[in-house]
Amino acid sequence: MEIMIESIGKLVNEFSKLPGVGKKTAQRYAYKVIDMTESEAKEFADAILGVKRKVRYCSVCGNFTEQDVCGVCKTRDHGVICVVKEPRDVAAIEKLHEFKGVYHVLHGTIDPMAGVGPNDIRIRELLARLNEHEVKEVIVATNPDVSGDATAMYLARLIKPLGITVSRLAHGIPVGSEIEYTDDITLTRAFVERNQL
Amino acid sequence: MEIMIESIGKLVNEFSKLPGVGKKTAQRYAYKVIDMTESEAKEFADAILGVKRKVRYCSVCGNFTEQDVCGVCKTRDHGVICVVKEPRDVAAIEKLHEFKGVYHVLHGTIDPMAGVGPNDIRIRELLARLNEHEVKEVIVATNPDVSGDATAMYLARLIKPLGITVSRLAHGIPVGSEIEYTDDITLTRAFVERNQL
């Protein structure tokens, strides 16, 4: 656009870097910012800088926190550790208010094709934690894909010999969906992991 | 979420203010910002502040600009003025590289139900421009809704007596669509505005 105003173009470009945001959406966002008051825009900019300045990784579990050790690690039962790939998985599980243990964020899963080996993710840190605390169970909550499965298998082989239970989230038919429309792989796993009534 | 980190919560809240962005999307955006480098985040924040600091309205046409008078008003033919509701309409028309005249942004359309009268939008400024320059035609490109139509009618009644042609963008069947699926109002207007071959 020949009359594109430089500062608007810059902002559109920045918004376009967000996941799933195209040029058109970025433009809508930019117009919204132009409509903001000076102080609203400042709050927005400060929130972006604040996150970068304040958020770090918990030295125990690797999840986001503003302190050295996160609120979950400080207050919860360290006897059960739920292992996840990314911080956003912690957020998804915390929303349930179901799990009362602590987390361990791997920051990735084993993926040889992408050059990610066991030493590239936080497995060493997990093993150290198993020595420090009396851990009864490790729940592996990695995604049900090749890389997530491989990581779960790897962890099980490593941790089970220590006399610690290693479990994995159940795969199966999503609640509320229909068998007819469930994909083949999920349906197969639902058969394999069937439960006695 | 009990473990919600304050600075992340703040940023999610800021992103939620953008049009069409819900909590989930805002969270994805926030995670993206956390993944940015310090300097990337700073550029993002600066872009937001930059827009607020630099962007103002062109003193002639009312479109966004960083100068007193915008690039379009400075360089183009003032003999034809295209009247639009908002700056984003200028962007949509400029993209075509078809229109060679200048614009006039009303910043609204007449809408008595919402308490917006002719004096609340930039009609006075438009009339002043008609006196200043030798204007041959005013193209009214307001949206084809009640408020846009009312504004077009109002402008026509005001400007036609000055001996200036007032035209309106054509309504009709969108190119590439089918008559069968065209809504009734659009189809009716396509009949009314039919062209001789």
Side-chain angles (χ1 to χ4, degrees):
Chain A
M1 246 177 304
E2 49 194 279
I3 61 140
M4 194 41 145
I5 294 111
E6 200 195 338
S7 58
I8 299 181
K10 253 187 205 159
L11 184 55
V12 168
N13 184 38
E14 290 297 331
F15 276 130
S16 301
K17 293 176 186 169
L18 297 175
V21 176
K23 179 109 194 274
K24 198 97 188 180
T25 305
Q27 222 167 45
R28 282 180 67 208
Y29 291 173
Y31 284 132
K32 174 71 191 183
V33 172
I34 296 175
D35 283 344
M36 286 179 179
T37 66
E38 193 97 19
S39 74
E40 279 171 339
K42 193 166 176 322
E43 259 174 58
F44 193 176
D46 284 347
I48 289 171
L49 297 173
V51 150
K52 284 310 296 178
R53 203 172 50 235
K54 291 180 196 159
V55 175
R56 63 185 91 174
Y57 294 128
C58 169
S59 62
V60 179
C61 73
N63 190 20
F64 294 137
T65 180
E66 291 183 3
Q67 284 108 38
D68 178 47
V69 175
C70 77
V72 172
C73 285
K74 264 184 194 155
T75 57
R76 301 268 200 85
D77 171 22
H78 280 252
V80 186
I81 299 178
C82 178
V83 177
V84 297
K85 184 184 180 188
E86 292 173 295
R88 64 195 71 187
D89 300 323
V90 174
I93 296 170
E94 276 300 294
K95 234 175 30 198
L96 309 175
H97 297 290
E98 184 69 32
F99 178 65
K100 301 299 182 204
V102 291
Y103 295 90
H104 189 84
V105 183
L106 293 174
H107 288 283
T109 42
I110 298 170
D111 188 354
M113 301 291 278
V116 181
N119 292 327
D120 301 318
I121 58 178
R122 297 181 68 254
I123 290 180
R124 214 179 303 110
E125 290 85 341
L126 175 60
L127 298 178
R129 287 177 73 182
L130 300 181
N131 289 329
E132 267 172 45
H133 294 273
E134 183 81 36
V135 177
K136 292 183 297 291
E137 183 177 358
V138 170
I139 303 171
V140 183
T142 50
N143 292 327
D145 51 25
V146 177
S147 169
D149 285 349
T151 307
M153 299 295 280
Y154 184 87
L155 289 177
R157 243 196 343 245
L158 224 57
I159 298 169
K160 270 165 78 176
L162 307 175
I164 297 169
T165 306
V166 179
S167 59
R168 181 126 207 253
L169 291 191
H171 301 299
I173 303 156
V175 178
S177 75
E178 289 176 48
I179 289 175
E180 184 184 353
Y181 300 119
T182 306
D183 68 279
D184 291 356
I185 297 171
T186 302
L187 199 52
T188 304
R189 293 192 76 147
F191 264 96
V192 174
E193 299 182 22
R194 68 192 180 278
N195 298 305
Q196 286 202 10
L197 298 176
Chain B
M1 249 177 303
E2 47 193 279
I3 60 142
M4 194 40 145
I5 293 109
E6 201 195 336
S7 57
I8 300 181
K10 251 185 206 160
L11 185 55
V12 168
N13 184 38
E14 290 297 330
F15 277 130
S16 301
K17 292 177 187 169
L18 297 174
V21 175
K23 178 112 194 271
K24 198 97 188 177
T25 305
Q27 221 165 47
R28 285 181 65 207
Y29 292 173
Y31 284 132
K32 173 72 191 182
V33 172
I34 295 174
D35 284 344
M36 286 180 180
T37 66
E38 193 97 18
S39 74
E40 279 172 339
K42 193 165 176 322
E43 258 172 60
F44 193 176
D46 284 348
I48 288 170
L49 297 173
V51 150
K52 283 310 297 179
R53 205 173 47 237
K54 291 181 198 157
V55 175
R56 64 184 90 174
Y57 295 128
C58 169
S59 62
V60 178
C61 73
N63 189 22
F64 294 138
T65 180
E66 292 184 0
Q67 284 107 37
D68 179 46
V69 176
C70 77
V72 172
C73 284
K74 264 184 195 154
T75 57
R76 302 266 202 86
D77 171 23
H78 281 251
V80 185
I81 299 179
C82 179
V83 177
V84 298
K85 183 184 180 189
E86 291 172 296
R88 66 196 69 187
D89 300 322
V90 174
I93 295 169
E94 276 301 292
K95 231 172 36 198
L96 309 173
H97 296 290
E98 184 69 32
F99 178 65
K100 302 299 180 203
V102 290
Y103 295 91
H104 189 84
V105 184
L106 293 174
H107 290 283
T109 41
I110 298 170
D111 187 354
M113 300 290 279
V116 181
N119 292 327
D120 301 317
I121 59 177
R122 296 180 69 254
I123 290 180
R124 215 179 301 111
E125 289 86 341
L126 175 60
L127 298 179
R129 286 177 74 181
L130 300 181
N131 288 329
E132 268 171 45
H133 294 273
E134 184 83 34
V135 177
K136 291 183 296 291
E137 182 176 0
V138 170
I139 304 172
V140 183
T142 50
N143 293 325
D145 51 25
V146 177
S147 170
D149 286 348
T151 308
M153 298 295 280
Y154 184 88
L155 289 177
R157 244 198 339 246
L158 224 56
I159 299 169
K160 271 166 77 176
L162 307 175
I164 297 168
T165 306
V166 180
S167 59
R168 181 123 208 255
L169 291 191
H171 301 299
I173 304 156
V175 178
S177 74
E178 290 175 48
I179 289 174
E180 184 185 353
Y181 300 119
T182 306
D183 69 278
D184 291 357
I185 297 171
T186 302
L187 199 53
T188 304
R189 294 192 75 148
F191 263 96
V192 173
E193 300 183 21
R194 69 191 179 279
N195 297 304
Q196 285 202 12
L197 296 177

